[in-house]
Amino acid sequence: MSQPSPSPFVASQLAAALPQSGVAWLDAARRENLDAFVAAGLPDARTEAWKYTALRALAQRSYAAGDAQARAVDPAALALPGVAGPRLVFVNGVYRADLSRADALPAGVSLQPLARALRTEAEPLRFALARRYREDGDAFARLNAALAADGAVLRVAPGAAPAQPVHLVFVGAPAEGDVAWHVRNVVELGEGAALTLVEHHLASGAQAHFATLAADFVLRDGARLRQLTVQDAAEGATLVRHTGLQLGARAAARLHVLELGGSLVRHDLRALLAGDGARLDTRGVFALRGRQHADTQMAIRHQARGTASDSVWRGVADQRARGVFRGAIVVAPGADGSDAALSNKNLLLSAQAEIDTKPELEIYADEVKAAHGATVGQLDERALFYLRSRGIPQAQARAMLTVAFCEAVLADLDLPALREHLAALLAARLPGGAA
Amino acid sequence: MLKIENLHARVEGKDILKGLTLAVNAGEVHAIMGPNGAGKSTLGNVLAGREGYEVTAGSVTFDGVDLLALEPEERAAAGVFLAFQYPVEIPGVNNTYFLRAALNAQRKARGEPELDSMQFLKLVREKLKVMRISDELLHRAVNEGFSGGEKKRNEIFQMAVLEPKLAILDETDSGLDIDALKQVAEGVNALRSPERSFLVVTHYQRLLDYIVPDFVHVLADGRIVESGDKSLALKLEAHGYAWVAEHGEPAGAGA
């Protein structure tokens, strides 16, 4: 019996040459992950993690590997207010020194493109990059592990606390055809280090590209991470991201995620609270319209005593858009005295929009405080009438209430200039907004 | 200013207003009293344009315009204001931002220039002083976590800023203790003027000790069955609404 022939998508990715690092363990891992990807193909709805996100249309598409051209990108478009520190820029997955700002790094910060880091000292990256992905539904993690040749390697020395946020920018730019690219980030915060990191996806023109980004964050004991993701990818883009976090004792991470752009967007966020007293706060929102599809799969594992997680996620879907949120929290045996809270509220603005939400909570420890809730609803008619009765036209009243619905996501972002900018960006993308 | 003729309205398939007729002239304060279920709140909601209130017969003209043909926001811009019996909490919408958006939307609809934030702030400070409201309320979300009294005072404060021609107070006294009631009444009295009319809808006579009406109407079973001056309210207080049923006759226009 012969294998079924691979889908056009798998075939197009197979046509890519595996990046050659000259590092034996890495080249072997890349080969094995690619083989696993080809053997399993793309997951379908029978895989729980892909139940609400169909890949049939993607399977029929082809994407050329990478983009050889240096595309023109307006540097002004990359700027974010209050984010003036080191910056690495990747355009269609290719590192662009001309757009980056990585020469005068603050004390204790090491930041370089992955390809360069592999040439100079590959061994510290072995733990992150030698992984084999074995789970059902790991197709894109495998693909990324096989094909990602570049990305950002960022380390903050123990006790260091750079004042300025580090800015990682991923730009999709128009190319001759539909291109695929894969980026891999590795971030490590030493003991007691503190860092603000902005992961910024944006488009330079409409582009139906396919991209994966995998990022690992390791926070040593007492480290503090503030991470913002602004996903404003090109209309028509398919973007699959994996974010892995591991927190040591008393480490704290605070994430804000804005999903605004793209056509098909998937984010797997997995966090391990590995050390006693570790704390994770996540805030996120997707604002979808047209036929956009966004799927966030968050999995938090409380592994140690006295760990805490607080997750606040909002979803807004208009027109024929579809949103998916899964928040799975596990409090493992022995993680006594932990505290896990999850709130996921969703707003449907049209009869054709759909949002599926699934909060899951599994507790195997003692003295655990846990609360979780998920809702899907419509705008409050009473509030709408109240605003209109004061003279605010219906469209404006709806826009005000929609923005207000998402307010909790950015409320505690303590970078005022950036918060204001992101709130305006979000408001503009919500129905009734300017863009 | 306001002319309601033979108004019939239905809510959820049930006839509530059954031929209500009332005329309010500029500068007049009319009290609408009546037992529970008489249609008092329905009247306010129909005038403000709330969805789900179906007008099946009759007419309402406001300054010569067919009020019922207007959207709620158009009625507001025309000068109609409803102080809600149950003001709605709107988390995430700042009170000041809301009020400025409302005022500017109304001004824009009327072809008047919008106020910039400095001009608006100046206006708000003046009104705060008159209403004796702490500006702390302004920084909070609309009505969110407000006490009952704060909510009602916030309604009156909005009225002060928006300066309507016709203010409908829908059971503004409900849920208020006597001190809060006096404060709200003071706020309303400060806004009385020859150009502004009030329709004060209430179950109890108590509020009318503080907001003294020019006319009192008794609403029962969807119609005005008795009209008089402020002494009518006192009679009602003394005898109860059953007295009207026995002695009252369906009355016509307000005056």
Side-chain angles (χ1 to χ4, degrees), chain A residues 305-338:
Chain A
R305 301 168 66 88
T307 52
S309 68
D310 181 37
S311 307
V312 177
W313 292 75
R314 298 288 180 264
V316 179
D318 196 13
Q319 296 165 343
R320 309 185 70 87
R322 181 140 189 219
V324 182
F325 178 83
R326 177 163 170 247
I329 300 176
V330 175
V331 183
D336 299 341
S338 290

Side-chain angles (χ1 to χ4, degrees), chain B residues 76-191:
Chain B
V80 175
F81 179 93
L82 172 66
F84 282 55
Q85 182 178 4
Y86 304 108
V88 183
E89 297 197 10
I90 310 183
V93 176
N94 171 276
N95 216 3
T96 311
Y97 171 72
F98 154 68
L99 203 46
R100 188 174 159 214
L103 180 63
N104 277 337
Q106 289 198 17
R107 293 180 66 95
K108 195 174 164 192
R110 292 193 293 256
E112 298 163 11
E114 298 182 33
L115 299 188
D116 65 29
S117 53
M118 290 307 290
Q119 293 167 319
F120 179 74
L121 206 63
K122 189 164 168 278
L123 174 72
V124 160
R125 296 231 177 280
E126 286 168 16
K127 303 294 182 183
L128 278 175
K129 222 179 289 169
V130 179
M131 294 296 116
R132 296 202 215 163
I133 287 177
S134 98
D135 62 359
E136 185 256 342
L137 284 192
L138 290 174
H139 304 305
R140 284 154 62 176
V142 178
N143 294 322
E144 191 186 30
F146 285 26
S147 69
E150 284 173 336
K151 280 181 184 170
K152 296 297 174 77
R153 268 153 62 205
N154 195 30
E155 295 291 287
I156 305 304
F157 172 63
Q158 290 172 26
M159 190 204 306
V161 172
L162 298 174
E163 300 184 315
K165 289 183 196 162
L166 171 68
I168 305 156
L169 311 186
D170 186 6
E171 309 228 9
T172 293
D173 50 335
S174 69
L176 294 187
D177 62 31
I178 192 68
D179 291 331
L181 183 79
K182 279 187 193 168
Q183 280 178 326
V184 165
E186 274 173 32
V188 171
N189 288 330
L191 295 171

